[in-house]
């Protein structure tokens, strides 16, 4: 018999966010310019596969199918714990706690890993434009402070900051896309990147693994459900819009980069130049000013992603503290409703991990960024797969007016597809890390996700026997005892 909780209690937090605000949080987490400059070129370089543009459309299609059931469930649950709450309602409370631990490890890993790339990019910017040699961690410390401060301010202010940064970096990528397609390399314009025969070949698993990281941040819509003006509609609409925009945008950008480089040269140039490929191709067509502006926006793109993930982690900590799954002090908020304790906790965690990498002399990109962002993406894929099956479980006894497509077919198919993708990620993890198949890291790093999940399930079982009053409200958004003083 399932130990799923009853419907969530009414929330009492400020509601100031609309569909555009949530879309900004989701898309900002994917860091458009970062994906265009780094993720796409890396996919071409590592896999040598031409069908990268089509892969984004395939992934977007899978996530839209996922969203059909996810959106239906979002009409009945508004909880800052998002996937945690959905899984608790649809599969069971213990599974929900396990999912929350996976989410905390995953989103912290994503955020801290991005700090590595931010540090390297900001140090390069100082070196190139100001002649200053600064360690990578110096820029990171400054970013940690700014992100931490923004994290305790009003959420709609965070949305405005993300909106400005997102619009600027998106314009830069669109300008490049137009220039790349209008002035193609040798061979002219071709649609070969969208041909299934150029994607579904040996190595397609690695392509999808790299691509799915571009959609991480997908959960943001549900995370901010308690702060939406109309959560029953906002979460669904924002998710559909964000997934569609991300999928099409990255598909066109991947195609434009290949057109600019030339079909027969894209892989070789990507391997030779890495993330600099977009800037090199852009400068040849748009001049030095494009490179200068895009270099700055690359740094701000990373900052936007840092802020988005920071807010996600803070709200998870808030949700778990409110329900007593973690110490109740984590549910303390500011007068504006921002998760003060969760934000500060995430900041401290980030500083500790970053200090370890800095003191031990680890490479900020090849190790800090690559290791942790891949761990984070793996965890989010697992969460989405579990959430799909949770939708089926949630509507099992009561359809609540939803169709068979919404409550069974779509989430079932999405769960199978995302589960298969999770397996592909594990099998191809050495490719994603750039290590040998025999490297222990290929098992240790994704193992962190599985260990976190099992630890969470164990903690949930402990709560059931030792603190039944806490176990009873898991996933419901209720507070056990008195509200903490803000």
């Amino acid at each position: 018999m399932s130990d799923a909780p009853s419907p969530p209690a009414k929330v009492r937090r400020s509601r100031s966010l609309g569909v555009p605000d949530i879309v900004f949080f989701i898309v900002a987490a994917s860091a458009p310019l970062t994906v265009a400059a780094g993720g796409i070129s890396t996919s071409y370089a590592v896999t040598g596969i031409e069908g990268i543009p089509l892969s984004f459309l395939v992934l977007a299609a899978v996530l839209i199918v996922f969203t059909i059931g996810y959106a239906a469930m979002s009409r009945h649950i508004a909880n800052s714990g998002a996937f945690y709450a959905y899984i608790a309602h649809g599969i069971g409370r213990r599974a929900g706690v396990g999912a929350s631990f996976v989410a905390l490890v995953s989103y912290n890993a994503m955020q801290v890993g991005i700090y590595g790339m931010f540090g390297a990019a900001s140090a390069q910017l100082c070196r190139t434009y100001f002649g200053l040699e600064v360690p990578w961690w110096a820029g990171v410390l400054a970013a940690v402070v700014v992100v931490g401060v923004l994290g305790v301010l009003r959420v709609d202010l965070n949305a405005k900051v993300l909106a400005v940064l997102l619009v600027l970096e998106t314009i830069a990528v669109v300008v490049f896309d137009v220039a790349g397609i209008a002035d193609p390399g040798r061979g002219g314009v071709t649609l070969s990147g969208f041909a299934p025969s150029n994607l579904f070949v040996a190595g397609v698993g690695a392509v999808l693994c790299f691509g799915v990281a571009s959609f991480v941040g997908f959960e943001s819509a549900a995370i901010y459900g308690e702060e939406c003006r109309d959560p029953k509609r906002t979460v669904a609409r924002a998710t559909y819009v964000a997934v569609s925009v991300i999928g099409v945008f990255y598909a066109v950008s991947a195609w434009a980069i290949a057109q600019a480089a030339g079909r027969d040269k894209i892989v070789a140039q990507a391997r030779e130049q890495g993330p600099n490929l977009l800037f090199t191709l852009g400068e040849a067509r748009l001049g030095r000013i494009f490179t200068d502006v895009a270099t700055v926006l690359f740094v701000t793109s990373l900052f936007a992603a840092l802020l988005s993930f920071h807010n996600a982690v803070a709200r998870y900590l808030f949700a778990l503290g409110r329900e007593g799954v973690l110490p109740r002090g984590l549910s303390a908020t500011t007068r504006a409703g921002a998760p003060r304790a969760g934000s500060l906790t995430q900041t401290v965690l980030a500083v500790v991990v970053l200090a370890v990498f800095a003191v031990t002399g680890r490479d900020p990109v090849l190790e800090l960024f690559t290791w942790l962002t891949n761990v984070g993406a793996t965890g989010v894929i697992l969460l989405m797969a579990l959430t799909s099956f949770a939708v089926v479980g949630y509507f099992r006894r009561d359809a609540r007016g939803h169709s068979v497509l919404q409550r069974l077919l779509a989430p079932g198919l999405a769960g199978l597809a995302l589960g298969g993708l999770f397996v592909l990620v594990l099998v191809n993890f050495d490719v994603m890390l750039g290590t040998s198949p025999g490297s222990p890291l290929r098992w240790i790093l994704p193992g962190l996700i599985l260990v976190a999940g099992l630890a969470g399930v164990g903690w949930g079982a402990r709560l059931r026997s030792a603190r039944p009053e806490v176990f009873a409200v898991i996933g419901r958004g209720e507070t056990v005892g008195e509200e903490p003083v803000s």
Side-chain angles (χ1 to χ4, degrees):
M1 182 176 178
S2 173
D3 54 8
S6 57
K10 292 182 180 180
V11 296
R12 301 179 297 279
R13 301 181 65 192
S14 61
R15 298 186 181 279
S16 58
L17 302 178
V19 172
D21 299 313
I22 301 300
V23 171
F24 286 135
F25 276 110
I26 298 174
V27 181
S30 76
L33 185 53
T34 301
V35 172
I40 291 173
S41 62
T42 299
S43 295
Y44 278 120
V46 173
T47 67
I49 291 176
E50 190 178 353
I52 304 299
L54 178 60
S55 71
F56 286 109
L57 298 181
V58 170
L59 288 170
V62 170
L63 292 182
I64 286 176
V65 172
F66 167 86
T67 302
I68 293 172
Y70 172 71
M73 198 167 178
S74 73
R75 291 179 175 274
H76 306 283
I77 299 174
N79 190 307
S80 295
F83 288 165
Y84 146 69
Y86 287 23
I87 292 169
H89 280 263
I91 298 178
R93 295 179 180 93
R94 287 168 291 184
V97 178
S100 74
F101 280 34
V102 170
L104 287 176
V105 170
S106 301
Y107 287 122
N108 270 296
M110 287 297 299
Q111 205 246 10
V112 176
I114 292 171
Y115 270 122
M117 179 66 81
F118 179 89
S122 59
Q124 178 64 39
L125 187 149
C126 290
R127 185 181 308 114
T128 301
Y129 295 99
F130 303 103
L132 300 176
E133 290 291 339
V134 297
W136 67 267
W137 49 263
V140 167
L141 286 179
V144 167
V145 172
V146 176
V147 169
V149 170
L150 288 172
V152 297
L153 297 178
R154 289 173 49 183
V155 69
D156 54 340
L157 175 60
N158 282 249
K160 289 180 174 63
V161 171
L162 291 175
V164 172
L165 298 179
L166 181 61
V167 168
L168 292 175
E169 64 178 290
T170 300
I171 290 173
V173 177
V174 169
V175 169
F176 169 83
D177 290 349
V178 172
I181 296 170
D183 183 15
R186 191 172 68 181
V189 175
T190 172
L191 296 176
S192 58
F194 295 102
S197 60
N198 287 327
L199 173 61
F200 297 102
V201 296
V204 64
V207 173
L208 296 176
C209 292
F210 279 115
V212 77
S214 306
F215 292 86
V216 171
F218 184 89
E219 188 181 6
S220 295
I223 286 176
Y224 296 102
E226 294 185 52
E227 296 159 274
C228 294
R229 287 189 288 270
D230 184 4
K232 290 186 177 181
R233 294 178 175 82
T234 300
V235 171
R237 291 175 180 175
T239 304
Y240 278 121
V241 170
V243 171
S244 301
V245 168
I246 291 172
V248 174
F249 185 72
Y250 290 151
V252 172
S253 296
W255 178 54
I257 292 173
Q259 300 313 296
R263 178 183 180 183
D264 58 343
K265 294 183 177 180
I266 178 59
V267 173
Q269 289 194 27
R271 289 172 176 169
E272 178 184 350
Q273 299 186 47
N276 289 324
L277 178 60
L278 182 142
F279 303 117
T280 301
L281 295 173
E283 183 172 343
R285 290 160 176 78
L286 300 166
R288 178 68 185 182
I289 189 172
F290 171 82
T291 301
D292 293 340
V293 172
T295 299
V296 174
L297 291 177
F298 181 64
V299 176
T300 61
S301 171
L302 291 164
F303 178 82
L306 289 170
L307 181 57
S308 186
F309 282 116
H310 173 88
N311 282 318
V313 173
R315 280 156 178 78
Y316 252 104
L317 290 170
F318 162 82
L320 295 171
R322 175 178 58 186
E323 295 178 1
V325 176
L326 293 181
R328 285 186 53 252
L330 290 171
S331 63
T333 62
T334 64
R335 291 182 181 277
R340 180 185 65 194
S343 180
L344 293 175
T345 300
Q346 202 287 324
T347 298
V348 171
L349 288 172
V351 170
V352 170
V353 176
L354 290 165
V356 170
F357 274 82
V359 170
T360 56
R362 294 294 184 179
D363 186 281
V365 176
L366 298 180
E367 294 176 321
L368 176 57
F369 175 77
T370 302
W371 292 0
L372 296 192
T373 55
N374 281 318
V375 168
T378 302
V380 173
I381 295 170
L382 177 59
L383 288 172
M384 288 193 293
L386 292 174
T387 299
S388 294
F389 295 122
V391 173
V392 176
Y394 182 72
F395 292 114
R396 184 177 67 253
R397 294 190 180 92
D398 186 353
R400 296 174 181 262
H402 295 286
S403 67
V404 173
L405 174 66
Q406 292 173 304
R407 57 187 169 83
L408 179 61
L409 297 180
L413 289 173
L416 293 174
L418 290 164
L421 182 57
F422 178 72
V423 173
L424 281 175
V425 168
L426 296 182
V427 172
N428 290 275
F429 212 80
D430 58 311
V431 177
M432 298 170 68
L433 294 177
T435 62
S436 65
S439 172
L441 285 176
R442 69 165 301 182
W443 301 115
I444 292 174
L445 292 176
L448 296 175
I449 296 297
L450 300 179
V451 169
L454 292 174
V457 171
W459 182 243
R462 170 67 177 169
L463 290 174
R464 184 180 188 182
S465 60
R467 301 180 63 191
E469 75 284 0
V470 170
F471 188 77
V473 300
I474 286 175
R476 293 179 59 178
E478 295 181 353
T479 302
V480 177
E482 297 180 356
E483 294 278 356
V485 178
S486 297

